[in-house]
Amino acid sequence: MHKPQKTVSLLLTVLLVGAALSGCSGSGDKNDGEASQGASPSASAKPSESASASPEASGSASPSGLDTSKHVELQFYMLGDAPKDLGIIQAEINKMAESELNATVKFNYTSWTDWDQKYKLLLSSGQPIDLIFTADWTQYQAYAKKGAFLPLDELLPKASPKLQAFVPQDMWDAVKIDGKIYTVPATFKEYVTNGFVYREDLREKYNLPVPKDIASFEAYLDGIKKNEPDMQPLSMNSDVKTNLMDVFREINDDTVGGPLPYGIGIKYNKPTEVYSYWGSDEMKADLTVIQRWQQKGFFAKNVLNVKDTMQAPIVSGKAAAMLGDNPNRFNDTQLKMQSSHPDWKLGYYPFPLTRGFATPVHPIHNGFAIPKSSKNPERALAFYEKMVTDKRYNQLTQYGIEGKNYTVKDGYYKMIGDSTSNGFGREGMNGWAWRNPEFMLFDKSFDGVKEIFAELDKIQKPDIFTGFAEDYTPYQAERAALEQVEKQYFYPLYAGLVKNVDEGMKTAMDKAKQAGLEKVQEGYKKQWLEYTAANGIQ
């Protein structure tokens, strides 16, 4: 999903230095400034501290000047699926929020099925929403530029001064759109670039190659198909653009950030050369491989109707591999899988090691904004301050109830039961955006993620894309039409379901051009070149 930063200088400030941010990961995606956030990923709070911190120690007093005389219920929106024990956690949170802010909160989830359409509807319908998740992959920049969120610059010092001081200034600067702050950035720093995820125990058992590129990954899938005929070699769902096409391009492609919209291509080392990936020989070569995978039966023929998450079939043993996932979410999937099947092993190979460089996550990658429809912006920001800076709120919403959902031993988090019996797994609320490195708990397997981050540190380059904020007003109608064309004509190509790739591409391109593709691409290109010129990106 994507991600990330403003100018090159700002991007450099969020390089992986000391607290790991997590995202889009089944664990989340954030960035962290070591100087301000300090705690290393291995540092954990003592078990006794998580629930017993006094209101005074946790800073539970309301900010001075905040009017809490009227009781309010805050509407809080997250992406994904709600954990089974959400009601229990919400009730515990509301006991504290009622007492300290004269407020209660309703945690709402979109589910992962067609989340993007639901997200768009939430922000366009005028429905009262007080807090909503933002990221580069949810188009934070574009929504902010279009006025979907309230600016926070004047609200922060009044409603959440502790939160304002907690987030490093360079991160506040990095999430600004047209000079204004519209989201509270996460401060946990990580890499969220993709990597091959595969059953390592099966690889060892059948002497299959380690997936390092498309060829070796295909050989691995061939081996699974041959030796485990009842297992789906590749986990895939209906979002074939995000989970198949975009990820496929990331493996060898030196793209600037991305994924890029409208079939546009831009290379990291040639950022001012903008071309159309759609309709190109490059696209044809990629689609030919994906079509071959479909014909070999690596993933389901009805993939466009599959609504499961990518990780669930891996956890249950129904599938052997994922084309790509980020290190944090890989670790979460591994933890869930091994809670039920300790003899299974999951392997991971980062794409950046094949591609030659890695970009640390940008502060934009995980955040929370206050939509313009909010009826309680000040109280919402005060509550979010609690979620980030108050240990009681933070650990309760990240890990559940200690002794019921998890334990801490020798500094490490451990889930009680397994992923099927435990109603609130680690980061069960998808609370990537309010991670606080000072309070974070990690399972022992996260030591492996730290090793991955250390390797990626050696080949890091700044993200030169995420700070770009597109204004699609001049081509909004064409953009909407193009979105429908992509789903109707390009998605079947992405899924390998079109028998003749050449004819399929021609039909899709004809429809795209009729919808206004050239106008959209030219409008985007013009803004991108203005952005690169203004920020000295060459």
Side-chain angles (χ1 to χ4, degrees):
M1 321 195 144
H2 329 15
K3 310 176 193 215
Q5 266 340 79
K6 307 318 170 187
T7 64
V8 170
S9 61
L10 288 174
L11 290 165
L12 288 169
T13 64
V14 297
L15 294 179
L16 184 63
V17 190
L21 180 12
S22 269
C24 297
S25 100
S27 299
D29 307 60
K30 296 26 179 186
N31 283 38
D32 192 33
E34 184 178 36
S36 300
Q37 319 308 4
S40 69
S42 60
S44 302
K46 295 178 181 179
S48 61
E49 295 175 347
S50 62
S52 62
S54 67
E56 293 77 12
S58 301
S60 62
S62 300
S64 58
L66 181 67
D67 182 5
T68 60
S69 59
K70 178 184 176 182
H71 178 271
V72 300
E73 180 179 71
L74 303 172
Q75 297 297 322
F76 188 112
Y77 272 83
M78 247 325 291
L79 300 188
D81 302 302
K84 288 184 292 186
D85 281 357
L86 177 63
I88 298 172
I89 302 304
Q90 179 174 291
E92 292 299 312
I93 287 293
N94 282 337
K95 289 178 184 177
M96 296 186 289
E98 182 86 60
S99 171
E100 298 163 9
L101 293 172
N102 194 21
T104 52
V105 61
K106 176 69 169 64
F107 293 111
N108 303 281
Y109 282 77
T110 62
S111 84
W112 286 120
T113 302
D114 300 325
W115 67 266
D116 50 344
Q117 296 300 319
K118 296 172 183 175
Y119 190 86
K120 180 188 300 184
L121 182 61
L122 286 171
L123 290 177
S124 63
S125 65
Q127 176 180 341
I129 299 171
D130 296 298
L131 288 159
I132 193 167
F133 176 76
T134 64
D136 49 313
W137 49 275
T138 67
Q139 301 180 49
Y140 159 72
Q141 303 97 309
Y143 278 117
K145 201 170 186 71
K146 293 282 289 182
F149 310 126
L150 294 177
L152 305 181
D153 306 75
E154 295 181 6
L155 287 173
L156 282 164
K158 179 179 181 180
S160 55
K162 187 174 182 179
L163 179 63
Q164 183 180 32
F166 174 78
V167 177
Q169 186 59 47
D170 58 357
M171 290 189 175
W172 287 123
D173 292 339
V175 301
K176 286 182 178 179
I177 301 297
D178 294 337
K180 294 288 187 179
I181 296 169
Y182 292 97
T183 192
V184 180
T187 60
F188 173 62
K189 186 171 181 286
E190 68 173 346
Y191 287 88
V192 294
T193 51
N194 281 304
F196 295 108
V197 178
Y198 54 94
R199 281 282 297 276
E200 170 64 9
D201 57 314
L202 296 179
R203 189 198 69 78
E204 293 175 345
K205 180 178 180 180
Y206 301 118
N207 193 28
L208 303 177
V210 174
K212 295 183 178 181
D213 52 24
I214 289 296
S216 55
F217 186 60
E218 184 168 346
Y220 173 87
L221 298 177
D222 276 327
I224 296 297
K225 185 69 175 177
K226 175 183 177 181
N227 294 288
E228 295 284 345
D230 295 329
M231 177 179 284
Q232 190 73 56
L234 182 62
S235 176
M236 190 52 58
N237 62 18
S238 62
D239 191 0
V240 290
K241 178 186 185 300
T242 302
N243 296 323
L244 184 51
M245 197 73 245
D246 290 344
V247 178
F248 191 96
R249 292 181 64 189
E250 186 183 338
I251 296 170
N252 295 310
D253 201 5
D254 58 340
T255 52
V256 297
L260 302 178
Y262 321 129
I264 287 172
I266 306 173
K267 304 296 186 183
Y268 188 96
N269 293 321
K270 298 178 180 180
T272 59
E273 296 183 14
V274 183
Y275 67 98
S276 179
Y277 170 78
W278 280 357
S280 67
D281 290 341
E282 179 186 357
M283 182 183 193
K284 179 181 176 181
D286 292 346
L287 292 178
T288 300
V289 174
I290 292 172
Q291 181 194 58
R292 184 168 69 243
W293 289 4
Q294 172 62 251
Q295 292 172 345
K296 286 184 174 183
F298 289 169
F299 56 99
K301 290 190 179 297
N302 68 335
V303 62
L304 295 179
N305 295 319
V306 175
K307 301 303 181 182
D308 205 348
T309 66
M310 297 286 290
Q311 295 76 25
I314 303 295
V315 172
S316 66
K318 294 179 181 178
M322 289 173 55
L323 180 58
D325 213 344
N326 66 61
N328 236 305
R329 192 156 54 200
F330 151 72
N331 182 67
D332 180 69
T333 302
Q334 177 177 242
L335 181 67
K336 291 176 179 176
M337 182 189 76
Q338 292 188 330
S339 70
S340 301
H341 304 280
D343 54 325
W344 294 359
K345 292 192 293 184
L346 212 54
Y348 187 82
Y349 191 87
F351 293 170
L353 298 184
T354 299
R355 191 175 59 228
F357 71 94
T359 53
V361 78
H362 189 290
I364 286 178
H365 188 64
N366 288 303
F368 260 86
I370 299 177
K372 63 180 181 181
S373 63
S374 172
K375 297 184 180 299
N376 312 288
E378 292 184 0
R379 206 83 60 92
L381 205 52
F383 175 77
Y384 195 69
E385 178 180 87
K386 297 285 189 184
M387 296 283 281
V388 176
T389 66
D390 189 311
K391 191 172 190 176
R392 302 165 302 152
Y393 288 73
N394 186 273
Q395 290 196 331
L396 183 61
T397 54
Q398 293 288 17
Y399 313 112
I401 299 172
E402 186 174 358
K404 171 181 170 58
N405 300 113
Y406 73 98
T407 59
V408 179
K409 183 178 181 181
D410 299 328
Y412 288 108
Y413 164 97
K414 184 174 178 57
M415 179 192 297
I416 293 176
D418 58 33
S419 58
T420 60
S421 63
N422 193 311
F424 198 96
R426 184 178 180 277
E427 296 189 335
M429 288 180 65
N430 298 345
W432 318 307
W434 64 87
R435 290 179 178 138
N436 182 328
E438 297 174 9
F439 306 147
M440 291 182 74
L441 304 174
F442 297 89
D443 58 275
K444 190 169 180 59
S445 65
F446 194 84
D447 290 348
V449 177
K450 289 191 291 180
E451 293 175 3
I452 294 173
F453 287 172
E455 285 297 308
L456 299 183
D457 255 349
K458 299 174 184 177
I459 55 172
Q460 63 183 337
K461 290 184 180 182
D463 180 340
I464 63 174
F465 175 76
T466 305
F468 173 61
E470 174 194 8
D471 179 7
Y472 51 77
T473 304
Y475 45 85
Q476 185 165 352
E478 292 84 358
R479 178 179 182 271
L482 204 58
E483 184 177 276
Q484 295 306 311
V485 167
E486 182 171 23
K487 290 197 171 182
Q488 184 174 352
Y489 294 97
F490 283 91
Y491 271 49
L493 282 165
Y494 299 161
L497 297 172
V498 178
K499 292 182 178 180
N500 189 310
V501 172
D502 286 316
E503 290 182 3
M505 285 179 59
K506 183 181 184 307
T507 299
M509 287 300 293
D510 287 345
K511 296 295 183 180
K513 289 176 181 178
Q514 292 172 18
L517 174 64
E518 293 174 350
K519 179 180 179 179
V520 173
Q521 288 186 337
E522 282 303 312
Y524 187 95
K525 177 181 178 179
K526 180 177 183 291
Q527 294 180 59
W528 169 255
L529 293 179
E530 291 172 350
Y531 167 77
T532 56
N535 290 281
I537 300 172
Q538 300 178 347

